């Protein structure tokens, strides 16, 4: 068991590195430069350059070159500006325009890289290998990304609030919505699945299957819009939107019930199939032949033997509980992680998205391991050899 | 297992029951409460960092600036707020001496000794301005101060040597910013700044106590400390924000003068009464339209813009009033202009568009602004005929007839022939860049594409995310950009004219890369001119100069349609004044009885 656990934990290392690499490529390389967005509308070049510096966007992506103490960055900046001015003049004259836009040296990462590359080559040509090597830096955006993730210090979001605080504040509301939703869906769908599996082929079975398919076909959003309008507004049974004046429980009942109703179709169909597979087994027929009651057969034998797919489904769902429910949280104003994620997407806050993606990946890896451990717990035939 | 299942069921039902049984609203408080919806979260309430409308709205109720706009008077009048009178201005318009009111105290906060708010001093303004100049603070508002105040740009350079914003020594003198004593502030300018008083009404220029920055540092965004009528009581950043009356607020009274119709509208009934009237302001952040609309109908929000999908059920468009069903609830409709300008911009550095004025003109003539307005804004917004907004002093009413906003697809097609001659062949496929995150933006993109195709041009739309859009537009890499719009913060039109001056090339605002030496020369004159007929004439001349070059297809301007419950009193929208809730009042009795009065209306609908 211990060896198995250590082996599985070691497997997680490349997974975590892979996730870090994927999120980095997704948010930093593909996502575009957000420094102008952070600096604000009409910010000047200096401010944009300062934002780049503050957030480390001016560092190389993975590894790169950095100037040494004696290298005259200021002179390079002046040379660059002079060259651009000259080019601007030539182009302006040829195109009969007065001026053309320029980029400051601090902003023009390509120009900086070219200058550093030239310096590096000069050193190599002059056989100053020590100096050239000293220019190579691993202090990069990826190393920062790696450090932040492994220390769980994700820094500050675009609104300058600490990301870890945001996540910690959001977990409670998310779980208070998703846990009742999850347990409710699980209890109702497993009980009903056992029942319809037992009543297979009857009118009850067909009715429930049809209802499940209808439930599956209706978009999640329609459940929310209808539920909120009818039960909260028209019938006035529940609050329309979360208000901190009242305990959280008041605001989560309706979304939880909507979540249960919307999720019932899929899970009931799944568990029905699982139960049907079991209920057709020889041992069930034997149990009935021996005179066991229906309740005992279903709950003591069938349910126990159907535990492997149930455990897989249940344990792997747990990380998603932390993530909350994007739409329900948004429509009912529940300040959870789902809400945070939508807000981050709208604000293009890659720092928050990156932190949430990483946390999610980590949780999934851990819970996959837990699922495997649970297999051995529910099924004695499974061993860790 | 049986027992387990039973326990789970009991727990579940048990947890739901108490909440289900307590749907009533609980005891009704005697406080006057005003509830206002926000459709997006607040970015920052730290005055130096405020850049969005909601941040300005909330921060302006907590922090005050030297000057403000008179709530009721029209045309817009600036009056002192924290200043004790209007400034004393030197003959050369370069030195402003401003007296500060005595006896103005900050709200109580743990950043002050014993938690008691101290008196406002002139030094707090000096600190606030220097803080915006601090390059390590990365204020998005620095652009407004650049090259304006003697020595402030040098101070900014000085701050670059520090690793972070908190290491900077603010005692370093800035010649143009001095506190002569605790109640006298002197501002020396590099050149005349006719918009200075307008800018000093902005919450960005509000005083900041250094003690607060020292204590809260980077968390200042969430700890706005001011002298205003309210203080921040509670903030659940995702969904809820509450302001409460500041007990330290000085004595200030409701105005006794206003515009011509104000007395008849009952807006002077509260004259001379102490401000503020409302005890608590609750901002609820609701990004989805349905819950906000239902809360408003339920009387849990006091005012609300009208969601596009609910417009026809809420407003009788012909009569410009709420529908019968809405009026039954005692809800009123307010319609008012919000000075703004929306446009589809051309990148004039582009080799196809830059040299081809007939092509740009053809696209402008081929764009059906009326249809655009009907389709996307329920015909609520107005067509933009020029750059300068009708709410601004320099607005030119004759521009409507000038034809810069005309729709004439036949003439547009004729111009395409001319454009092809300049191009030396068929016009290559054009590319429009737009932000494509939501269906609405995509619908707009598709509409613009169809309009341009209808005049015989090939065009493709590229949907990009916001950072990419801004980056490409500012670098001049985007041929046409459909997503542009500005909202004006002051009644002076220089801000819109600035968008076409060469020295403000992107990222400073001129994303069109419009460059005209004659225009630049006139702009240099205009920016140091004080209001008067000569300046109005010059502004209008510059406006026509830009319009004649067609750097953009001007589309429309925002008109705000707001529904308001009858219990909200003293409401007079002001496009440039953000901290106006202190003038408003709420009839609590009417507010609290709304639910019982309208019982049954929900079921009837």
């Amino acid at each position: 068991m211990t060896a198995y656990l250590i082996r599985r934990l070691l497997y997680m290392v490349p997974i975590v590195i892979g996730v870090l690499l994927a999120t980095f490529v997704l948010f930093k390389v593909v996502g575009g430069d957000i420094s102008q967005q952070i600096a604000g509308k009409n910010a000047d070049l200096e401010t944009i350059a300062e934002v780049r510096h503050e957030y480390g966007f001016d560092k190389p992506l993975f590894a790169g070159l950095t100037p040494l103490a004696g290298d005259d960055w200021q002179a390079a900046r002046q040379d660059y500006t002079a060259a651009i001015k000259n080019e601007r003049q030539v182009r302006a004259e040829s195109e009969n325009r007065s001026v053309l836009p320029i980029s400051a040296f601090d902003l023009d990462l390509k120009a900086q890289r070219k200058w550093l590359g030239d310096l590096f080559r000069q050193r190599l040509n002059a056989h100053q290998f020590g100096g050239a090597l000293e220019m190579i830096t691993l202090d990069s955006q990826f190393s920062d990304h790696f450090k932040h993730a492994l220390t769980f210090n994700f820094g500050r979001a675009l609104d300058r609030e600490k990301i870890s605080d945001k996540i910690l504040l959001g977990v409670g509301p998310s779980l208070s919505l998703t846990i009742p939703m999850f347990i409710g869906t699980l209890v109702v769908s497993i009980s009903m699945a056992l029942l319809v599996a037992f009543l297979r082929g009857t009118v009850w079975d067909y009715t429930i299957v049809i209802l499940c398919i209808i439930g599956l076909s209706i978009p999640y959003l329609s459940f929310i819009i209808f539920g909120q309008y009818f039960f909260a507004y028209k019938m006035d049974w529940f609050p329309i939107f979360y208000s901190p004046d009242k305990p959280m429980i008041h605001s989560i009942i309706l979304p939880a019930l909507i979540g249960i109703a919307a999720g019932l179709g899929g899970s009931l169909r799944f568990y029905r199939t699982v139960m049907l597979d079991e209920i057709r087994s020889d041992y069930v027929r034997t149990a009935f032949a021996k005179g066991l009651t229906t309740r005992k057969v279903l709950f003591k034998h069938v349910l126990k033997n159907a535990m492997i797919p149930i455990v897989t489904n249940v344990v792997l769902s747990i990380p998603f509980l932390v993530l909350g429910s994007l739409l329900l949280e948004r429509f009912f104003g529940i300040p959870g992680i789902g809400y945070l994620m939508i807000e981050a997407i709208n604000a293009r806050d890659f720092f928050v998205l990156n932190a949430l993606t990483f946390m999610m990946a980590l949780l999934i890896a851990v819970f996959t391991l837990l699922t495997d451990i649970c297999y051995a717990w529910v099924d004695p035939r499974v061993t860790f050899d | 297992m049986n027992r387990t299942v039973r326990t789970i069921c009991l727990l579940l039902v048990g947890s739901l029951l108490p909440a289900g049984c307590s749907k009533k609203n609980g005891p009704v408080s005697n406080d006057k409460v005003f509830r206002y919806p926000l459709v997006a979260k607040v970015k920052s309430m730290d005055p130096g960092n405020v850049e969005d409308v909601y941040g300005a709205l909330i921060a302006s109720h907590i922090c005050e600036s030297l000057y403000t706009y008179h709530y009721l008077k029209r045309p817009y009048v600036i009056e002192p707020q924290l200043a004790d009178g209007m400034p004393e201005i030197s003959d050369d318009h370069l030195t402003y001496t401003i007296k500060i009111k005595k006896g103005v105290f900050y709200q109580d906060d743990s950043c002050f000794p014993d938690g008691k708010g101290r008196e406002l001093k002139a030094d707090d303004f000096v600190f606030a301005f220097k803080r915006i100049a601090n390059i390590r603070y990365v204020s998005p508002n620095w652009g407004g101060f650049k090259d304006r105040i003697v020595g402030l740009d040098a101070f900014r350079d000085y701050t670059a040597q520090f690793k972070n914003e908190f290491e900077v020594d603010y005692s370093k003198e800035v010649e143009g910013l001095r506190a002569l004593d605790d109640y006298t502030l002197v501002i020396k300018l590099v050149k005349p700044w006719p918009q200075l008083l307008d800018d000093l009404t902005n919450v960005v220029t509000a005083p900041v106590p250094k003690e607060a920055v020292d204590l809260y540092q980077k968390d200042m965004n969430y700890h706005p400390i001011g002298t205003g009528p309210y203080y921040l009581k509670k903030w659940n950043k995702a969904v809820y924000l509450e302001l409460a009356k500041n007990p330290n607020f000085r004595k200030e009274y409701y105005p006794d003068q206003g515009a011509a119709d104000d007395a008849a509208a009952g807006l002077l009934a509260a004259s001379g009464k102490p401000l503020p009237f409302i005890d608590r302001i609750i901002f609820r952040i609701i990004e989805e339209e349905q819950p906000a609309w239902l809360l408003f109908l339920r009387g849990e929000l006091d005012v609300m813009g009208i969601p596009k999908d609910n417009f026809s059920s809420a407003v009788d468009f012909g009569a410009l009033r709420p529908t019968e069903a809405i009026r039954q609830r005692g809800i009123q409709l307010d319609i008012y202009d919000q000075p703004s300008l929306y446009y589809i911009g051309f990148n004039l550095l582009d080799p196809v568009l830059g040299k081809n004025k007939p092509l740009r003109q053809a696209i402008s003539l081929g764009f059906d602004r009326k249809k655009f307005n009907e389709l996307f804004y329920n015909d609520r917004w107005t067509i933009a005929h020029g750059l300068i907004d009708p709410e601004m002093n320099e607005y030119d009413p004759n521009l409507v007839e000038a034809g810069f906003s005309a729709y004439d697809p036949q003439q547009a097609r004729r111009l395409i022939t001319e454009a092809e001659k300049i191009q030396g062949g068929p016009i290559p496929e054009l590319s429009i860049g737009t932000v494509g995150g939501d269906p609405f933006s995509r619908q707009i993109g598709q509409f613009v594409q169809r309009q341009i195709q209808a005049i015989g041009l090939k065009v493709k739309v590229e949907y990009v995310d916001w950072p990419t859009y801004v980056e490409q537009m500012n670098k001049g890499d985007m041929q046409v950009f459909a997503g542009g719009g500005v909202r004006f913060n002051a009644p002076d039109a220089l801000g819109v004219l600035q968008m076409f001056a060469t020295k403000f090339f992107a990222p400073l605002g001129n994303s069109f890369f419009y460059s005209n030496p004659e225009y630049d020369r006139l702009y240099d004159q205009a920016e140091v001119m004080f209001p008067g007929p000569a300046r109005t004439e010059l502004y209008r001349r510059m406006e026509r100069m830009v319009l004649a070059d067609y750097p953009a297809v001007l589309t429309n301007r925002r008109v705000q349609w707001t529904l308001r419950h009858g219990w909200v009193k003293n409401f007079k929208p002001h496009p440039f004044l953000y901290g106006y809730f202190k003038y408003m009042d709420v009839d609590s009795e009417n507010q609290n009885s709304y639910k019982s009065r309208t019982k049954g209306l929900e079921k009837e609908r």
Side-chain angles (χ1 to χ4, degrees):
Chain A
M1 169 86 167
T2 315
Y4 174 79
L5 273 179
I6 292 170
R7 204 166 55 238
R8 285 297 303 270
L9 285 171
L10 286 174
Y11 286 162
M12 280 171 65
V13 175
I15 293 173
V16 169
I17 293 174
V19 167
L20 282 173
L21 197 62
T23 49
F24 181 76
V25 171
L26 202 65
F27 294 129
K28 289 279 174 71
V29 183
V30 182
D33 182 2
I34 56 169
S35 47
Q36 296 200 18
Q37 181 194 341
I38 301 171
K41 208 178 166 194
N42 304 345
D44 63 355
L45 295 171
E46 279 173 323
T47 309
I48 296 168
E50 181 56 29
V51 167
R52 284 199 162 153
H53 182 68
E54 187 180 323
Y55 286 88
F57 299 152
D58 54 354
K59 290 182 181 177
L61 282 175
F62 291 96
L65 300 170
T66 185
L68 301 181
D71 295 338
D72 200 343
W73 179 270
Q74 202 59 36
R77 187 187 273 167
Q78 281 163 9
D79 289 350
Y80 173 86
T81 310
I84 285 287
K85 269 187 184 160
N86 186 35
E87 182 202 353
R88 188 173 65 163
Q89 195 57 38
V90 171
R91 285 178 66 189
E93 281 163 12
S94 71
E95 294 183 22
N96 196 24
R97 303 188 64 82
S98 60
V99 279
L100 286 167
I102 60 160
S103 301
F105 185 59
D106 292 340
L107 261 186
D108 195 337
L109 296 176
K110 266 189 197 165
Q112 289 175 29
R113 283 191 204 117
K114 186 180 172 304
W115 175 68
L116 286 166
D118 290 346
L119 263 181
F120 186 72
R121 273 188 294 277
Q122 275 171 24
R123 289 204 165 104
L124 285 182
N125 292 339
H127 302 291
Q128 296 169 346
F129 298 114
L133 273 178
E134 227 179 303
M135 282 183 75
I136 298 171
T137 177
L138 293 175
D139 181 17
S140 61
Q141 294 186 50
F142 184 66
S143 67
D144 285 351
H145 178 75
F146 203 81
K147 255 185 277 172
H148 291 161
L150 293 188
T151 55
F152 292 98
N153 173 14
F154 297 105
R156 287 180 185 258
L158 290 187
D159 59 9
R160 292 190 170 201
E161 194 187 354
K162 280 185 186 158
I163 294 174
S164 48
D165 288 354
K166 273 179 183 274
I167 294 175
L168 285 175
L169 282 172
V171 169
S174 275
L175 289 178
S176 65
L177 169 67
T178 50
I179 288 177
M181 222 164 88
F182 176 67
I183 296 174
T185 311
L186 199 67
V187 170
V188 176
S189 54
I190 291 179
S191 318
M192 286 183 75
L194 275 168
L195 198 70
V196 291
F198 179 68
L199 300 171
R200 67 189 181 283
T202 65
V203 68
W204 290 107
D205 183 26
Y206 293 133
T207 310
I208 287 175
V209 168
I210 290 168
L211 286 175
C212 284
I213 292 169
I214 292 172
L216 271 171
S217 319
I218 298 173
Y220 201 71
L221 194 61
S222 307
F223 276 98
I224 296 174
I225 288 175
F226 172 77
Q228 188 175 51
Y229 177 75
F230 189 77
F231 295 109
Y233 174 69
K234 221 159 185 186
M235 305 310 291
D236 196 14
W237 289 348
F238 305 97
I240 295 169
F241 203 75
Y242 166 67
S243 166
D245 288 347
K246 296 169 196 162
M248 176 69 75
I249 184 85
H250 288 232
S251 306
I252 59 150
I253 301 168
L254 180 59
L257 290 175
I258 290 173
I260 292 171
L264 211 53
S267 52
L268 183 49
R269 288 258 305 154
F270 170 76
Y271 291 123
R272 178 182 171 275
T273 312
V274 171
M275 298 302 173
L276 276 179
D277 283 348
E278 281 303 319
I279 225 158
R280 287 181 186 129
S281 307
D282 286 345
Y283 74 88
V284 176
R285 201 179 309 118
T286 310
F288 278 121
K290 281 189 162 184
L292 291 184
T293 61
T294 307
R295 204 174 67 172
K296 218 164 196 175
V297 173
L298 289 181
F299 287 96
K300 192 163 181 185
H301 299 285
V302 174
L303 190 58
K304 201 168 183 180
N305 283 299
M307 279 309 264
I308 289 276
I310 294 174
V311 163
T312 311
N313 198 31
V314 168
V315 183
L316 282 181
S317 302
I318 292 173
F320 294 95
L321 301 185
V322 177
L323 195 64
S325 168
L326 302 189
L327 283 175
L328 282 171
E329 287 184 12
R330 189 173 159 95
F331 268 82
F332 288 92
I334 295 161
I337 300 287
Y339 204 104
L340 175 63
M341 189 167 247
I342 288 210
E343 193 186 276
I345 292 168
N346 287 342
R348 279 90 179 168
D349 194 332
F350 294 150
F351 304 106
V352 173
L353 289 175
N354 175 38
L356 288 175
T357 313
F358 176 70
M359 298 271 294
M360 202 56 209
L362 213 59
L363 282 173
I364 289 174
V366 169
F367 277 88
T368 309
L369 175 61
L370 279 180
T371 312
D372 291 350
I373 294 168
C374 287
Y375 286 160
W377 175 53
V378 297
D379 188 345
R381 291 168 299 179
V382 177
T383 65
F384 291 111
D385 294 334
Chain B
M1 181 59 80
N2 257 342
R3 204 175 300 146
T4 316
V5 172
R6 208 179 303 147
T7 313
I8 290 171
C9 288
L10 280 172
L11 277 174
L12 197 70
V13 174
S15 70
L16 297 185
L17 267 178
C21 294
S22 55
K23 68 185 171 70
K24 299 298 170 202
N25 288 332
V28 176
S29 151
N30 287 325
D31 283 355
K32 287 186 174 184
V33 185
F34 179 62
R35 295 134 334 154
Y36 188 89
L38 306 178
V39 297
K41 100 179 230 197
V42 181
K43 283 187 189 167
S44 171
M45 289 190 290
D46 178 5
N49 233 328
V50 164
E51 58 168 327
D52 60 318
V53 174
Y54 288 154
L57 174 74
I58 297 164
S60 298
H61 287 90
I62 301 168
C63 306
E64 297 173 295
S65 42
L66 282 164
Y67 295 93
T68 187
Y69 289 98
H70 192 284
Y71 182 47
L72 300 175
K73 285 182 185 172
R74 303 290 184 276
Y76 307 106
V77 173
I78 290 178
E79 62 177 15
Q81 186 165 235
L82 290 176
D84 191 5
M86 296 307 280
E88 192 183 294
I89 306 171
S90 64
D91 291 342
D92 58 3
H93 291 284
L94 292 178
T95 306
Y96 283 62
T97 305
I98 301 169
K99 291 281 178 195
I100 314 290
K101 277 181 185 161
K102 291 178 181 168
V104 174
F105 285 84
Y106 283 104
Q107 66 186 67
D108 294 341
D109 189 87
S110 50
C111 70
F112 300 114
D114 302 326
K116 290 293 292 173
R118 68 157 167 83
E119 193 180 9
L120 170 76
K121 291 177 181 170
D123 255 336
D124 297 332
F125 290 95
V126 174
F127 172 70
F129 285 33
K130 284 181 180 173
R131 186 166 172 249
I132 292 171
N134 182 346
I135 193 163
R136 299 294 183 218
Y137 174 52
V138 201
S139 168
N141 298 304
W142 165 246
F145 291 84
K146 197 177 177 189
D147 300 329
R148 301 279 200 186
I149 295 174
V150 178
L152 197 58
D153 293 69
F155 180 80
R156 183 171 172 84
D157 293 340
Y158 151 79
T159 62
Q161 64 185 287
F162 297 97
K163 275 189 179 162
N164 70 57
E165 61 179 282
F166 310 106
E167 288 178 5
V168 170
D169 176 11
Y170 284 97
S171 65
K172 187 178 166 59
E173 289 281 322
V174 170
E175 191 194 332
L177 267 181
R178 279 184 301 130
L180 288 189
D181 54 51
D182 282 353
Y183 305 105
T184 313
L185 173 71
V186 177
I187 302 175
K188 273 191 190 169
L189 304 177
V190 175
K191 59 184 174 185
W193 183 0
Q195 294 74 29
L196 176 61
L197 284 190
D198 287 311
D199 289 343
L200 291 179
T201 65
N202 196 323
V203 72
V204 167
T205 59
V208 175
K210 189 168 182 300
E211 301 93 312
V213 177
D214 289 342
L215 179 67
Y216 296 117
Q217 302 215 333
K218 277 194 186 287
D219 289 334
M220 268 300 282
N221 267 0
Y222 312 110
H223 294 278
I225 307 294
T227 57
Y230 295 96
Y231 70 93
L232 178 64
K233 188 180 173 191
K234 198 190 285 182
W235 189 7
N236 180 323
K237 292 173 193 80
V239 290
Y240 185 93
L241 195 148
E242 185 177 330
L243 306 184
K245 235 182 200 178
N246 173 12
N248 294 356
F249 187 58
R250 65 188 176 281
K251 288 212 171 355
E252 203 185 313
Y253 302 94
Y254 191 85
D256 53 9
Q257 291 175 25
D261 312 335
D262 288 348
L267 285 165
L268 291 177
S271 294
K273 290 185 180 168
L275 299 174
F277 300 114
I278 295 166
D279 297 298
R280 290 157 60 209
I281 304 172
I282 293 174
F283 295 94
R284 299 183 76 174
I285 302 159
I286 311 172
E287 295 183 43
E288 289 297 332
E289 287 180 341
Q290 166 161 304
W293 180 242
L294 297 181
L295 283 173
F296 176 72
L297 291 182
R298 175 72 71 74
E300 292 180 33
L301 290 175
D302 297 323
V303 292
M304 178 158 177
I306 309 165
K308 189 171 174 285
D309 295 337
N310 298 99
F311 188 75
S312 56
S313 66
V315 175
D316 179 349
F317 193 69
L320 291 181
R321 63 178 187 183
T323 54
E324 181 60 29
I326 294 293
R327 267 183 295 147
Q328 272 182 4
R329 294 169 178 271
I331 294 171
Q332 296 164 16
L333 174 68
D334 296 295
I335 304 171
Y336 50 96
D337 291 334
Q338 268 194 345
S340 52
L341 176 66
Y342 292 84
Y343 52 81
I344 298 161
F346 299 124
N347 170 12
L348 300 183
L349 296 177
D350 179 74
V352 177
L353 285 163
K355 64 183 180 192
N356 207 327
K357 185 177 139 187
L359 176 61
R360 303 194 300 268
Q361 190 178 356
I363 296 172
S364 177
L365 282 169
F367 191 80
D368 189 347
R369 292 160 177 83
K370 197 170 179 318
K371 197 171 175 185
F372 179 68
N373 206 17
E374 280 169 9
L375 205 56
F376 294 103
Y377 302 100
N378 302 108
D379 214 6
R380 283 189 268 177
W381 290 19
T382 53
I383 290 171
H385 300 289
L387 303 175
I388 300 174
D389 192 278
E391 289 291 306
M392 293 176 168
N393 305 330
E394 293 84 7
Y395 172 67
D396 181 357
N398 299 325
L399 264 184
V400 180
E401 308 301 327
F404 294 117
S405 54
Y407 174 57
D408 187 346
Q410 284 180 342
Q411 171 67 4
R413 281 188 210 100
R414 279 194 289 275
L415 281 167
I416 295 289
T417 317
E418 202 180 315
E420 284 174 341
K421 279 182 198 156
I422 295 171
Q423 175 67 24
I427 304 291
E429 186 180 48
L430 298 175
S431 167
I432 303 174
T434 188
V435 183
D438 58 293
F440 190 69
S441 305
R442 286 183 178 265
Q443 288 162 359
I444 288 183
Q446 286 159 2
F447 179 84
V448 175
Q449 185 180 29
R450 275 203 316 278
Q451 296 280 298
I452 298 178
Q453 282 169 343
I455 56 169
L457 293 171
K458 286 183 196 154
V459 62
K460 64 176 178 193
V461 183
E462 285 177 26
Y463 299 97
V464 293
D465 59 44
W466 180 249
T468 310
Y469 177 82
V470 174
E471 191 185 354
Q472 288 188 357
M473 184 177 68
N474 283 348
K475 276 187 179 169
D477 290 343
M478 201 172 264
Q479 204 174 23
V480 182
F481 40 99
V486 280
R487 184 178 160 169
F488 303 116
N489 289 323
D492 189 312
L494 193 76
V496 68
L497 298 176
Q498 177 182 312
M499 287 165 55
F500 299 91
T502 305
K503 63 182 174 186
F504 291 104
F505 265 2
L508 298 179
N510 183 353
S511 312
F512 316 93
F513 297 104
Y514 177 79
S515 181
N516 179 338
E518 176 61 6
Y519 183 86
D520 291 342
R521 193 182 61 76
L522 295 179
Y523 183 84
D524 288 341
Q525 284 176 27
E527 72 174 346
V528 292
M529 279 175 86
F530 283 79
R535 191 179 82 166
T536 301
E537 198 192 319
L538 182 60
Y539 274 20
R540 289 178 178 177
R541 189 173 153 206
M542 290 168 71
E543 181 182 29
R544 282 181 183 255
M545 200 179 265
V546 171
L547 292 175
D549 280 335
Y550 291 92
V553 178
L554 307 182
T555 56
N556 47 6
R557 301 187 194 281
R558 181 189 286 267
V559 177
Q560 191 65 38
W561 295 55
T562 302
L563 290 174
R564 167 172 55 98
H565 280 287
W567 57 74
V568 178
K569 307 291 180 197
N570 305 341
F571 180 65
K572 183 171 180 179
H574 193 302
F576 309 116
L577 176 67
Y578 287 98
Y580 61 93
F581 291 171
K582 68 179 174 188
Y583 300 105
M584 286 166 53
D585 199 357
V586 164
D587 176 354
S588 308
E589 205 177 309
N590 194 349
Q591 187 185 44
N592 291 333
S593 64
Y594 173 78
K595 205 168 173 182
S596 56
R597 281 186 287 117
T598 55
K599 211 168 191 177
L601 285 179
E602 278 86 8
K603 295 194 169 87
E604 278 171 26
R605 287 189 72 224

